[in-house]
Amino acid sequence: MEITKENRKWLDAMGLSHPIVIAGPCSAETEDQVLKTAHLLKDTDANVFRAGIWKPRTRPGGFEGVGEIGLPWLQKVKEETGMLVTTEVGNAQHVELALKYDIDILWIGARTTVNPFAVQEIADALKGVNKPVLVKNPVNPDLALWLGGVERFQAAGISQLGVIHRGFSTYNSLHYRNKPKWHLAIELKKEFPDLPLILDPSHICGRRDTLLDVSQTALDLNYDGLMVETHIDPDKAWSDAAQQITPAQLHQMTLDLKIRQKSSTGQEFQRKLNMHRKELDLIDNAIIDILADRMTIAEAIGRLKHKENVAILQSGRWADILQTMIQAGADKGLSREFVEEIFKAIHVESINIQHNVK
Ligand code: PEP
Ligand code: MN
């Protein structure tokens, strides 16, 4: 797939300065709620207004969106505030209606990106229109599926494309509603540096208190913008109440964020260095998480052996692990000494942990 500088130009052409700030409620609820939120956002850094008109809910019974009656409210937002407007489309009928009411930018939801049939149907419905489309990552951590979504729009002739990173669903995360798995977005950015990348901290965090921190990480990683769910009365929101903030809180958040310069010849070196350091920090944290997970499993094995009265050290198994890992490391250009040293340390710690099991 060829993603060229053209892909970023549309943001400039629409007058969207760096970083783009897309803000607005999870769902359009009433005309009054939409317009009041938009008027308050007009005085913040937000330059695009979002609102879900059709809401894909994981389980039935929740609020599924106001539907077509909400689209004229978004038109009013445009007329009264001058902001651009965006909404989620999940099928060809949504596209037809969004075009009828002149929605400026369309986004594809995470539950839609997982389904190539649905994405293709939407791409076909957009043929010949060239509306800007932002593709959210699929709910599962599959980079190919995410890129596949972008490619389907590109093949349909849409050149104004971007992606939204909203995190990946997880069974039991304490900190995140959807784990960021930053490396997937970093991979995407590495391969296609000119495809605009926007962070949706709201669906990653699922709560208000961590939005700033997660958004700062994105700006440090040179993201092109943020999409933040914003509501006049977040606690009373009909969907995603826990993660929405008021326009005033959004304003404070953008003041607190350190906006990194995109680039400049003099700062290019520093910018790249900072980005790589941030990548390293994230990987180092991931290493710690993985080591902790490994030790939890070692502990479970220790309990099992203790119960069955089996010796802790199983020399054959350990020799196998070491050989396999030395080979796996060599395949990736890692030296034998390095891999041996690391795995010996891991093995010693595993044995210690198993010893302590009662
Ligand atoms: C949304 O943005 O309100 C939404 C439904 O997001 P996602 O598709 O990321 O779950
Ligand atoms: Mn939402």
Side-chain angles (χ1 to χ4, degrees), residues 41-294:
L41 283 171
K42 192 171 141 253
D43 301 322
T44 70
D45 274 354
N47 37 25
V48 180
F49 184 81
R50 65 150 279 156
I53 294 290
W54 301 281
K55 300 302 300 176
R57 307 315 300 267
T58 303
R59 300 185 69 180
F63 172 57
E64 297 198 326
V66 291
E68 185 176 353
I69 56 156
L71 291 169
W73 308 341
L74 295 186
Q75 280 190 307
K76 271 200 183 170
V77 167
K78 259 166 56 145
E79 283 160 23
E80 294 183 14
T81 69
M83 294 171 93
L84 298 174
V85 293
T86 180
T87 199
E88 172 175 348
V89 288
N91 59 38
Q93 194 212 355
H94 296 165
V95 171
E96 195 187 308
L97 289 168
L99 295 178
K100 178 173 155 197
Y101 289 92
D102 203 21
I103 301 301
D104 300 293
I105 300 170
L106 307 179
W107 91 74
I108 308 302
R111 289 163 196 76
T112 304
T113 310
V114 291
N115 181 351
F117 288 138
V119 174
Q120 193 58 54
E121 175 186 317
I122 296 167
D124 290 342
L126 280 169
K127 265 193 188 134
V129 182
N130 205 12
K131 268 274 162 197
V133 176
L134 301 172
V135 182
K136 284 200 172 196
N137 68 255
V139 287
N140 54 323
D142 184 339
L143 183 59
L145 203 48
W146 196 0
L147 290 170
V150 175
E151 283 162 343
R152 284 178 197 278
F153 288 104
Q154 205 180 38
I158 315 281
S159 62
Q160 304 175 92
L161 285 167
V163 290
I164 302 175
H165 176 199
R166 52 78 80 193
F168 301 89
S169 70
T170 158
Y171 179 58
N172 56 357
S173 169
L174 289 178
H175 293 294
Y176 299 109
R177 179 177 172 195
N178 292 289
K179 274 196 179 165
K181 296 188 182 284
W182 295 100
H183 62 281
L184 280 166
I186 289 166
E187 278 301 312
L188 182 139
K189 186 93 187 162
K190 231 187 251 160
E191 246 179 280
F192 306 112
D194 294 311
L195 187 64
L197 171 60
I198 293 166
L199 184 85
D200 170 348
S202 306
H203 291 89
I204 287 180
C205 299
R207 51 199 253 191
R208 294 170 198 138
D209 58 333
T210 48
L211 292 172
L212 176 69
D213 199 38
V214 168
S215 301
Q216 185 63 60
T217 299
L219 293 183
D220 293 347
L221 290 170
N222 215 12
Y223 278 46
D224 297 281
L226 302 170
M227 178 191 255
V228 186
E229 287 191 339
T230 316
H231 193 285
I232 29 162
D233 193 355
D235 285 332
K236 298 218 174 77
W238 297 2
S239 58
D240 288 352
Q243 70 197 28
Q244 301 206 55
I245 54 175
T246 62
Q249 286 167 324
L250 176 81
H251 181 61
Q252 188 56 49
M253 187 170 121
T254 53
L255 290 178
D256 293 341
L257 283 170
K258 289 181 204 64
I259 313 264
R260 314 292 182 199
Q261 291 307 310
K262 282 288 302 173
S263 68
S264 91
T265 15
Q267 291 170 350
E268 191 60 9
F269 168 71
Q270 204 54 42
R271 185 185 70 82
K272 282 195 174 149
L273 190 68
N274 286 342
M275 180 167 157
H276 290 319
R277 283 183 177 157
K278 195 79 195 175
E279 283 181 63
L280 286 185
D281 290 347
L282 293 166
I283 290 173
D284 289 346
N285 277 310
I287 290 175
I288 292 293
D289 286 346
I290 285 174
L291 286 174
D293 285 349
R294 197 191 190 284

